[in-house]
Amino acid sequence: MLEQLRPLGVADEETIAQLCRAEIADWRARPTMVEESSLQEPLRHARNAIREHLLLTTANRWKNPKTKQDEHLALKYLNFSLAEWQRINSDSEERFARRLREQQRIDNPDAIVHLSEDLLRREEWYNLALGVTINTGRRITEVLKTGSSRRRRGIRSGLKGS
């Protein structure tokens, strides 16, 4: 989409709007897009890519009334309507409230700590990933997709029983 947007400007505003609507429609059509709140991630990435890779010029800028800042015109259209944002946020709030209602107690937290320490001592990536997941409280998909690590000297020796 960036290459399609690059030559366009204010004179092509309707084309920019169509490209942005088509991009959002493509995200919605993904088989993995189960909940509307999942659209926030591709939106954030796409908007950041526009900011980072498309040069802002007098021919393609508009002043965002909320921020009072000049932005690429595509950012005006690569966004959700107020109603969509309200729906997305209410969905997130509802899921958060449900998680609070459905909390469960951990009967033996010490056993989980010992297990996670053992996992972090192992060499296999999947054991290490699970150990990091347990110790950070992040979802396994977050650890695998966005996590990064590097081995530091002394980390393993700091674990109990090492």
Side-chain angles (χ1 to χ4, degrees):
M1 183 171 112
L2 292 176
E3 291 311 312
Q4 292 175 299
L5 289 171
R6 194 174 309 281
L8 303 178
V10 175
D12 310 295
E13 188 167 356
E14 185 51 39
T15 303
I16 292 172
Q18 288 173 356
L19 285 169
C20 293
R21 284 191 297 267
E23 186 72 13
I24 292 171
D26 286 347
W27 298 338
R28 289 182 194 282
R30 291 179 182 169
T32 56
M33 203 57 65
V34 181
E35 297 188 19
E36 196 165 29
S37 62
S38 299
L39 292 167
Q40 292 179 78
E41 186 175 346
L43 177 70
R44 181 174 42 85
H45 288 300
R47 289 177 61 83
N48 286 340
I50 289 169
R51 288 184 187 105
E52 292 171 23
H53 299 289
L54 295 182
L55 183 65
L56 190 60
T57 68
T58 55
N60 65 18
R61 73 177 60 185
W62 79 295
K63 188 173 288 288
N64 184 328
K66 282 177 96 174
T67 65
K68 309 288 188 242
Q69 298 292 315
D70 285 337
E71 296 180 342
H72 192 285
L73 186 57
L75 295 175
K76 179 178 181 180
Y77 297 101
L78 194 65
N79 209 341
F80 301 127
S81 69
L82 178 60
E84 288 171 311
W85 276 117
Q86 288 172 338
R87 205 169 48 245
I88 288 168
N89 290 330
S90 70
D91 176 49
S92 297
E93 291 168 8
E94 181 182 317
R95 283 188 294 129
F96 178 70
R98 185 173 59 241
R99 279 199 316 266
L100 288 177
R101 285 191 310 270
E102 296 172 359
Q103 286 184 39
Q104 298 177 1
R105 296 188 55 80
I106 298 173
D107 293 329
N108 190 350
D110 289 338
I112 294 172
V113 170
H114 292 302
L115 172 63
S116 68
E117 288 174 347
D118 180 53
L119 290 167
L120 290 173
R121 285 188 198 96
R122 298 182 186 191
E123 294 296 322
E124 303 87 6
W125 69 267
Y126 46 86
N127 286 318
L128 293 171
L130 184 55
V132 169
T133 301
I134 292 169
N135 281 289
T136 61
R138 306 302 295 192
R139 295 179 185 101
I140 188 70
T141 53
E142 293 172 306
V143 170
L144 294 174
K145 183 176 179 184
T146 60
S148 65
S149 66
R150 57 191 152 110
R151 180 167 266 174
R152 292 187 187 170
R153 209 173 318 150
I155 292 292
R156 291 182 185 266
S157 63
L159 294 174
K160 185 192 269 186
S162 297

